[in-house]
Amino acid sequence: MFSVSDCKIIDLSKVHNDAGNITVVENNKNIPFEVKRIYYLYDVPMGADRGGHGHYELQQYIIAASGSFTFVLDDGVTRKDFFLNDPSKALYIQPGIWREIKDFSSGSICLVFASSEYRESDYIRDYVEYLNYRNDTPAI
Ligand code: TYD
């Protein structure tokens, strides 16, 4: 069972020249799982919050492709804010972590690399249920 302290900001580095930057995300090189799905959040209205769920198994890399937003990660004991505003950095979210997403800047794009296809059965959408799951699952 992973905790918030296992979730980190990873520096993806960038290829820079006068005409701009390129950042590369490549399976088995700078991402610790095989990417099975990519999706992105955009056109998030001012003041809207997203997330509010945990995943049993999913691993994710979160990148602020444009603009900024805050991921609040919670393992049932510790809550920590991760402010993302740099497309050359990724937040690595381990399995079993609750997340909320807030403070989207206008025009922001939240790019997500995920370790599996979409499965609703991998979600825990109720916080009390999440806490029960954490309390019932032994630590690793
Ligand atoms: P959800 O993951 O709850 O969004 P967020 O965490 O950003 O608030 O997904 C919102 C809806 O979109 C939900 O009804 C399921 C659907 N969805 C898919 O169909 N496929 C996907 O890959 C994702 C991420 C969501």
Side-chain angles (χ1 to χ4, degrees):
M1 181 66 66
F2 293 98
S3 65
V4 166
S5 61
D6 298 310
C7 299
K8 307 235 178 288
I9 302 279
I10 313 272
D11 189 354
L12 299 170
S13 80
K14 55 188 161 194
V15 183
H16 170 77
N17 67 31
D18 290 347
N21 298 319
I22 295 178
T23 288
V24 181
V25 177
E26 214 170 351
N27 279 337
N28 305 317
K29 291 209 173 146
N30 59 354
I31 193 161
F33 55 84
E34 193 180 337
V35 176
K36 295 277 179 53
R37 175 169 51 121
I38 297 169
Y39 63 92
Y40 39 100
L41 310 179
Y42 58 100
D43 287 349
V44 178
M46 275 282 273
D49 296 334
R50 301 199 58 113
H53 56 77
H55 287 281
Y56 292 107
E57 292 183 353
L58 193 70
Q59 299 173 70
Q60 291 166 304
Y61 251 30
I62 314 292
I63 297 171
S66 184
S68 63
F69 42 82
T70 298
F71 264 67
V72 183
L73 299 188
D74 183 333
D75 56 22
V77 176
T78 302
R79 262 174 104 78
K80 185 173 173 186
D81 285 10
F82 292 85
F83 176 69
L84 297 177
N85 69 343
D86 180 343
S88 73
K89 296 199 180 345
L91 171 62
Y92 177 37
I93 307 184
Q94 297 272 13
I97 305 292
W98 182 269
R99 87 289 315 276
E100 290 157 18
I101 323 166
K102 62 181 189 182
D103 299 340
F104 287 88
S105 69
S106 172
S108 58
I109 300 175
C110 172
L111 177 61
V112 182
F113 295 83
S115 63
S116 74
E117 293 80 9
Y118 171 75
R119 267 188 300 125
E120 186 57 36
S121 60
D122 189 57
Y123 282 75
I124 314 167
R125 292 194 181 274
D126 180 86
Y127 190 67
V128 172
E129 202 180 303
Y130 173 75
L131 291 178
N132 291 336
Y133 154 72
R134 291 294 304 200
N135 291 332
D136 293 347
T137 310
I140 53 167

